Amino acid sequence: AQTVTQSQPEMSVQEAETVTLSCTYDTSESDYYLFWYKQPPSRQMILVIRQEAYKQQNATENRFSVNFQKAAKSFSLKISDSQLGDAAMYFCRYTSGTYKYIFGTGTRLKVLA
Amino acid sequence: DGGITQSPKYLFRKEGQNVTLSCEQNLNHDAMYWYRQDPGQGLRLIYYSQIVNDFQKGDIAEGYSVSREKKESFPLTVTSAQKNPTAFYLCASSIIAGGADTQYFGPGTRLTVL
């Protein structure tokens, strides 16, 4: 069965600095998709970035980028120039074509002024 | 504005009662989903629907029921058979169901059983 692991329950970063959140997963499938979602205190889930497993190029969205290591089954999120508004829970999600939607347990990110 | 609405934001239920959570979307998405979120855990899939009049069980469907009579609406009923229903419930939708879909989420409903 597929699993998603976020080993960092909580992280802190100084404003304007860079932080990396880790996510590892286990699967025997070759075709799948990976996502990072942000959940601010309002609790609404917001898509941050997505990565298709068949693409070797790492996805980037403004200050957010991923380091996708398919062989290592690792999908980390890098946030550059951290802002106070980045403080939230971050969830990694694995999805495959067989309607599997698996979320990690989340990492709480604190941004220090 | 296009989006997903969930109501109510907070819901209180007495033990033994059924309760229905509303989810509406005006994004013209075919697929809709219900997730449950508990403290310290990620989201877990309860039910999903790929198209009107069709729905499938997710990982934790026991004690829940859904209907999909209209494309825009996917209500979730929490029945008295659900042993531990206090949780945060999130509804989502996507253009189609499947691995490539990007799901868009509603603001959630916090259900508390008294």
Side-chain angles (χ1 to χ4, degrees):
Chain A
Q2 293 86 354
T3 59
V4 175
T5 302
Q6 293 181 249
S7 59
Q8 308 152 315
E10 191 170 293
M11 295 279 287
S12 295
V13 62
Q14 205 70 33
E15 197 176 5
E17 297 295 311
T18 295
V19 64
T20 299
L21 310 183
S22 68
C23 173
T24 59
Y25 58 94
D26 189 23
T27 185
S28 58
E29 296 176 317
S30 58
D31 188 21
Y32 51 88
Y33 302 82
L34 297 163
F35 301 78
W36 277 99
Y37 279 90
K38 171 184 178 181
Q39 188 178 43
S42 67
R43 304 200 71 176
Q44 181 152 8
M45 299 284 282
I46 303 165
L47 176 68
V48 175
I49 200 165
R50 60 174 273 171
Q51 173 80 44
E52 293 86 348
Y54 63 84
K55 288 187 178 180
Q56 293 186 333
Q57 186 173 6
N58 288 328
T60 300
E61 285 289 341
N62 300 314
R63 297 182 296 107
F64 299 87
S65 62
V66 299
N67 183 6
F68 174 48
Q69 303 287 330
K70 190 171 184 178
K73 297 179 182 176
S74 172
F75 181 62
S76 60
L77 175 69
K78 186 172 84 171
I79 306 174
S80 304
D81 185 25
S82 296
Q83 301 174 0
L84 294 177
D86 294 334
M89 286 289 293
Y90 286 83
F91 291 93
C92 176
R93 188 189 114 192
Y94 166 100
T95 298
S96 73
T98 53
Y99 305 111
K100 283 292 183 183
Y101 306 95
I102 303 170
F103 283 82
T105 53
T107 296
R108 181 175 302 282
L109 178 65
K110 295 183 176 181
V111 181
L112 308 174
Chain B
D1 288 336
I4 303 173
T5 57
Q6 291 186 243
S7 60
K9 188 172 182 178
Y10 299 97
L11 189 56
F12 297 90
R13 188 195 94 174
K14 292 183 180 179
E15 280 194 33
Q17 288 182 337
N18 292 355
V19 64
T20 297
L21 283 60
S22 169
C23 177
E24 304 276 335
Q25 55 98 1
N26 61 4
L27 300 168
N28 200 32
H29 287 173
D30 280 324
M32 297 187 74
Y33 314 80
W34 274 105
Y35 290 92
R36 170 179 172 142
Q37 185 177 25
D38 293 285
Q41 297 191 40
L43 280 65
R44 292 182 291 168
L45 183 65
I46 305 172
Y47 268 98
Y48 66 94
S49 168
Q50 300 175 60
I51 199 168
V52 174
N53 293 323
D54 179 71
F55 48 83
Q56 306 295 328
K57 292 182 179 179
D59 299 320
I60 56 166
E62 186 176 349
Y64 299 97
S65 66
V66 293
S67 63
R68 186 86 187 275
E69 297 176 1
K70 298 188 299 181
K71 188 175 185 177
E72 302 80 20
S73 178
F74 191 42
L76 173 74
T77 296
V78 184
T79 75
S80 57
Q82 170 51 235
K83 299 305 179 187
N84 186 21
T86 294
F88 187 64
Y89 292 87
L90 284 158
C91 177
S93 71
S94 62
I95 294 174
I96 59 171
D101 65 308
T102 294
Q103 294 181 356
Y104 297 89
F105 286 81
T109 292
R110 172 70 183 177
L111 173 63
T112 302
V113 174
L114 303 173

